[in-house]
Amino acid sequence: MPEKSKILIIGGTGYIGEFIVEASTKAGHPTFVLVRESTVSDPVKGKFVEGFKNSGATLVHGDLYDHESLVKAIKQVDVVILTVGNGQLNDQRKIIDAIKEAGNVKKFYPSEFGVDVDRQNAVEPAKSAFAGKSQLRRATEAAGIPYTCLSSNAFAGYFLPTLLQPGAILGDGNAKDCSCF
Ligand SMILES: NC(=O)c1ccc[n+]([C@@H]2O[C@H](COP(=O)([O-])OP(=O)(O)OC[C@H]3O[C@@H](n4cnc5c(N)ncnc54)[C@H](OP(=O)(O)O)[C@@H]3O)[C@@H](O)[C@H]2O)c1
């Protein structure tokens, strides 16, 4: 049986990352999760991190803005999945630099998980965010890194509670659970 790819997830404590860590460990991949030290000691997020350890994932301390930590983590794996949020999208190039230096990655999945950004006609503020993701695709190609983008369109469970206005607080702020969608 072929050996399972070793996978590093950067952003595992985020909205989408949590599901990817779970899927990776359940599929039997040696799974590494890069977490910031401050997150491990956070009372809420620390529980996620503990859950990762219990599911068999290996924690690696690091930060998107700490090049050495990225290279060290990336050298341990075959596949890098990035699930950083909108605040870090324009800094994803730091991962490209680290992957290039590490030189061992067989597949990179940038933080996409939305519309196909090369085929959309959005208005602002989405337009600029999509343009950033598109530029990252070009930079990844220019660096010669094998990559795949997962375009999953919008998640109803993410957008419905705020009626398509991410970050908005509606009513008393207690959105009903829309996980049934
Ligand atoms: N299609 C859709 O409907 C949909 C919905 C939501 C998101 N998305 C897309 O999915 C992707 C992920 O978004 P998200 O909402 O899941 O993100 P998120 O919840 O904001 O999570 C961000 C993750 O990045 C980590 N992070 C932040 N700064 C970091 C740093 N300096 N170094 C290392 N890690 C850092 C955070 O770690 P800490 O825990 O340490 O803060 C967290 O794990 C984005 O591309 C977004 O556009 C799509």
Side-chain angles (χ1 to χ4, degrees), residues 7-70:
I7 298 179
L8 172 70
I9 296 138
I10 302 175
T13 50
Y15 177 77
I16 290 176
E18 182 197 350
F19 295 104
I20 294 181
V21 174
E22 184 186 350
S24 178
T25 52
K26 277 191 176 160
H29 290 281
T31 302
F32 298 72
V33 189
L34 185 127
V35 285
R36 297 190 275 182
E37 292 201 42
S38 55
T39 302
V40 178
S41 52
D42 181 273
V44 177
K45 292 211 168 180
K47 287 187 187 146
F48 279 99
V49 175
E50 206 51 41
F52 293 159
K53 277 201 281 187
N54 294 339
S55 67
T58 303
L59 296 185
V60 186
H61 288 155
D63 195 302
L64 184 59
Y65 304 103
D66 176 351
H67 180 74
E68 293 307 316
S69 74
L70 292 179

Side-chain angles (χ1 to χ4, degrees), residues 109-139:
Y109 293 84
S111 189
E112 288 251 354
F113 314 105
V115 299
D116 181 347
V117 292
D118 284 343
R119 296 179 180 79
Q120 50 78 33
N121 293 297
V123 293
E124 294 296 358
K127 187 177 175 183
S128 297
F130 294 162
K133 287 184 174 182
S134 194
Q135 283 162 12
L136 190 86
R137 291 184 183 189
R138 305 291 86 80

Side-chain angles (χ1 to χ4, degrees), residues 15 154-163 175-181:
Y15 177 77
F155 300 129
Y158 184 83
F159 286 105
L160 269 184
T162 53
L163 301 177
K176 289 192 176 164
D177 179 11
C178 288
S179 54
C180 56
F181 292 97

Side-chain angles (χ1 to χ4, degrees), residues 45 78 93 109 140:
K45 292 211 168 180
D78 312 301
R93 282 163 193 268
Y109 293 84
T140 309

